[in-house]
Amino acid sequence: METVAENRAFGGVQGVYRHGSEACGCDMTFGLFLPEEARDGPVPVLWYLSGLTCTHENAMTKAGAQGWAAEQGIALVFPDTSPRGEDVADDEAYDLGKGAGFYVNATQEPWAKHFRMWDYVAEELPALIGAEFAVDMERQGITGHSMGGHGALTLAMSLPGRFASVSAFAPIAHPSQSDWGRKQLGAYLGESGWEAHDSTLLMRERGFDGPVLVDQGGDDQFLELLKPEALAEAMAARRQEGIFRMQKGYDHSYFFVSSFMEEHVGFHAEALWAK
C-alpha cells in the first residue's frame, strides 16, 4: 500500500492511499480520515460511498464531514466509485463505466474483468483498512450520495450485522424501475440479479436490522430517476426503524449533502458508540 498524501485536519489526519486490488484487478485509491483518538486505539468507522462521475476525492473535499467526524471521534472511509486504468473498460456516457461502478460485481463483458465493486467495498477494502489502521471493524456505519446512497442501502441490507446504521443522501432508490439502474444493471449483470441491488425491493423483502436515515432534496433535478417515493413507501409498509425526510428547496449537489452532513455523522455516531 502506498501513501499518496497525509494532511493534518481537525486534530486528526486525512490520508489518501493507493493499493493493488485483487477484486478489481487494478490499482485503487481511497481516502481515510482518522480522528485524533485513533492515536490511542481503534475508533468506529463510517463509510461514505460517492455517486456517478465521482472519485474518492469529491466527498473528501466537498462534504465537510471531517470536522463532524472529529467531534464524534470516528473515522471516515472514502472509496473510489469504480476501477481505474488504461485497460479498464469504459463507455462514452457519464453514467456507465469508469466513475459508475454501481457497487455491483459485473458478470457481463467487457465489464466482468474489473468491475467487481461489491467485493471491493464489502470485503477487500474493509480487510485492508482493518489490518493497516486503528479502526474498530466491530463498529461500522455506512452512508452515501446518489449512486453511493444506492450502494450504502443495498450493502447494509444484504450484510446483516455488519453495519450498526445506514443513511443516504438522495439515493437511487428503485434502480430496476429507473433509467439510472436499468441501463447499468443490464450492462453489468445482464437480465438477472437486479433484485439484490434495488434498495426498495430489499426494504420490502428484508429491511435493515438497525436505524435508517434518508434525506432527499425536494428540488432535486433527478427526482424522476431517483424514485424516492418508492423507498419511502417500502419503509412505511415494513415499519422500518428510521426517518425519511424531504428537504424543501434542496437540489442534488454537494451543497445539499454538506448542509445535512452534521446530522448524518451524529446519527451514525450515536449508533456506533452505543454498540
Side-chain angles (χ1 to χ4, degrees), residues 83 85-91 96-98 110-111 114-115:
E86 292 184 4
D87 63 335
V88 174
D90 200 9
D91 191 272
L96 188 67
K98 293 178 185 177
W111 313 105
H114 296 289
F115 281 74

Side-chain angles (χ1 to χ4, degrees), residues 1-86:
M1 187 178 65
E2 172 191 357
T3 299
V4 177
E6 288 185 332
N7 298 96
R8 184 84 164 156
F10 299 98
V13 175
Q14 175 61 64
V16 177
Y17 308 93
R18 184 180 297 117
H19 70 105
S21 167
E22 183 175 341
C24 295
C26 62
D27 286 346
M28 295 292 286
T29 303
F30 66 93
L32 174 67
F33 171 74
L34 289 173
E36 189 171 13
E37 289 85 347
R39 296 176 184 176
D40 300 321
V43 296
V45 57
L46 175 60
W47 294 79
Y48 183 99
L49 305 186
S50 291
L52 291 166
T53 75
C54 292
T55 69
H56 69 282
E57 188 176 21
N58 295 72
M60 193 179 79
T61 58
K62 295 180 180 179
Q66 291 91 337
W68 309 122
E71 280 194 12
Q72 300 289 352
I74 63 175
L76 298 168
V77 184
F78 304 98
D80 203 348
T81 57
S82 78
R84 307 281 176 177
E86 292 184 4

Side-chain angles (χ1 to χ4, degrees), residues 106-127:
T107 59
Q108 306 299 301
E109 297 301 333
W111 313 105
K113 181 179 180 181
H114 296 289
F115 281 74
R116 302 190 61 81
M117 288 300 294
W118 182 277
D119 283 354
Y120 179 68
V121 174
E123 303 298 337
E124 185 176 29
L125 189 54

